């Protein structure tokens, strides 16, 4: 028997690097100057870090990255400081790290005010901490995170495969999928949208609106919840859908999508 990867059936938080991990890294001496009152500031996911001293930095960054700058392009202009924070916040950037002691001796008030207004994290980097050390730390941590997520995903897939040996494999599969996804509502629907197996008998999954021409895997929004739907079967076989409506915000789409895909393939 394969044990549940989540112990007592509760969804484990997704493994990820957060801004708090970066701020608390030993020897860096980083200090959060703005955004500390925002509920999600320290838990912000960090996928990368890059050093930029340009007036239009967002085009060189990806969502979830940290921008590190000496502030040369911001010196003497409150408007430029506010504009940068607006660009980063609207671009989905994780945080701004301002290196002190080169172009600026402290984080300027206008930048702090705009960041606080938007709940955007800004931290100070002391002169003795090279940007390259922060970038290296984030890159190493990201690789470690990817490997941990891969190991977790492999364990989940084995757990789902074991369900197919149960007396009622379809119901066992949807129940195990629900537990892996942190208590998600899961249903396996036939081509008419009627449930074959489900963990939420009274819930309307909207099966009648699913189009057989839809791709094999896609995301959806229903009643304010994020979901993943996988088409089961194909040409010449019974076509149905496997739908998971997520309840736990710690379960990321990067985990949910491949797990739902695997479960759908097992039902074919």
């Amino acid at each position: 028997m394969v044990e549940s990867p989540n112990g007592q059936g509760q969804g484990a938080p997704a493994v990820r690097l957060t801004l708090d991990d970066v701020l608390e890294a030993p020897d860096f001496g980083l200090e959060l100057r703005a955004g500390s009152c925002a509920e999600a500031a320290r838990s912000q996911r960090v996928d990368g870090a890059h050093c930029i001293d340009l007036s239009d930095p967002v085009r060189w960054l990806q969502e979830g990255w940290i921008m590190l700058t000496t502030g040369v392009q911001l010196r003497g202009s409150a408007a430029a400081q506010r504009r940068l924070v607006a660009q980063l916040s609207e671009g989905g950037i994780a945080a701004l790290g301002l290196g002190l002691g080169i172009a600026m001796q402290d984080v300027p008030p206008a930048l702090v005010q705009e960041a606080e207004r938007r709940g955007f994290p800004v931290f100070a980097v002391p002169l003795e901490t090279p940007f390259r050390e922060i970038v290296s730390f984030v890159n190493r941590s990201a690789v470690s995170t990817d490997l941990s997520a891969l190991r977790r995903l492999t364990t989940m897939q084995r757990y789902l495969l074991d369900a197919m040996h149960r007396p009622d494999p379809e119901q066992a599969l949807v129940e195990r999928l629900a537990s892996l996804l942190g208590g998600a509502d899961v249903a396996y629907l036939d081509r008419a949208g009627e449930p074959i197996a489900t963990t939420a008998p009274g819930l309307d999954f909207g099966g009648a609106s699913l189009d057989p021409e839809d791709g094999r895997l896609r995301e959806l929004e229903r009643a304010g919840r994020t979901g993943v739907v996988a088409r089961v079967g194909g040409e010449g076989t019974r076509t149905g859908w496997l739908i998971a409506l997520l309840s736990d915000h710690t379960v990321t789409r990067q985990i949910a999508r491949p797990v739902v895909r695997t479960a759908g393939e097992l039902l074919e």
Side-chain angles (χ1 to χ4, degrees):
M1 177 179 178
V2 178
E3 296 294 333
S4 167
N6 295 330
Q8 300 300 317
Q10 298 299 316
V15 179
R16 63 181 188 177
L17 178 70
T18 66
L19 179 59
D20 190 57
D21 296 325
V22 178
L23 294 173
E24 297 301 322
D27 302 325
F28 286 168
L30 307 180
E31 181 182 352
L32 189 63
R33 294 292 190 87
S36 58
C37 294
E39 183 178 348
R42 284 184 171 267
S43 61
Q44 170 70 48
R45 176 172 177 161
V46 174
D47 294 323
H50 193 37
C51 310
I52 302 179
D53 277 313
L54 300 174
S55 58
D56 185 21
V58 175
R59 61 180 296 189
W60 307 105
L61 296 166
Q62 299 182 48
E63 289 189 11
W65 280 50
I66 291 173
M67 174 182 169
L68 299 170
T69 182
T70 61
V72 171
Q73 80 282 15
L74 304 174
R75 189 167 41 191
S77 174
Q81 296 160 15
R82 295 182 186 278
R83 183 169 58 251
L84 174 65
V85 172
Q87 290 175 333
L88 298 180
S89 177
E90 294 168 4
I93 306 307
L96 171 66
L98 183 63
L100 303 182
I102 298 177
M104 296 182 172
Q105 299 306 310
D106 202 355
V107 182
L111 192 149
V112 172
Q113 291 167 5
E114 185 66 17
E116 288 288 5
R117 188 177 73 82
R118 294 175 175 270
F120 180 76
V122 175
F123 60 89
V125 183
L127 180 61
E128 58 270 20
T129 301
F131 283 171
R132 65 175 181 275
E133 295 297 330
I134 300 174
V135 172
S136 178
F137 171 81
V138 170
N139 289 341
R140 289 196 309 270
S141 300
V143 170
S144 176
T145 295
D146 289 343
L147 291 175
S148 296
L150 179 60
R151 286 193 293 268
R152 181 183 171 205
L153 180 57
T154 300
T155 303
M156 287 178 167
Q157 290 170 334
R158 290 175 180 167
Y159 183 59
L160 291 174
L161 180 60
D162 182 68
M164 304 312 291
H165 301 293
R166 302 291 152 180
D168 187 355
E170 293 166 339
Q171 184 63 32
L173 185 72
V174 298
E175 289 176 358
R176 289 192 175 198
L177 180 59
S179 116
L180 290 176
L181 297 181
D185 290 321
V186 178
Y188 173 31
L189 309 177
D190 64 19
R191 62 190 306 162
E194 295 299 320
I196 299 170
T198 180
T199 63
L203 185 63
D204 177 16
F205 284 86
S209 66
L210 293 171
D211 186 346
E213 300 302 320
D214 281 340
R216 295 188 61 83
L217 186 75
R218 65 182 177 87
E219 296 176 16
L220 76 162
E221 294 286 338
R222 186 163 184 83
R225 296 169 65 185
T226 299
V228 179
V229 54
R231 192 180 69 193
V232 179
E235 295 295 331
T237 63
R238 178 179 61 177
T239 299
W241 292 269
L242 181 65
I243 302 178
L245 294 178
L246 304 180
S247 301
D248 189 342
H249 72 278
T250 65
V251 177
T252 66
R253 291 177 295 178
Q254 288 81 0
I255 288 292
R257 287 175 62 91
V259 172
V260 172
R261 180 191 295 114
T262 296
E265 291 171 350
L266 291 173
L267 290 169
E268 294 183 355

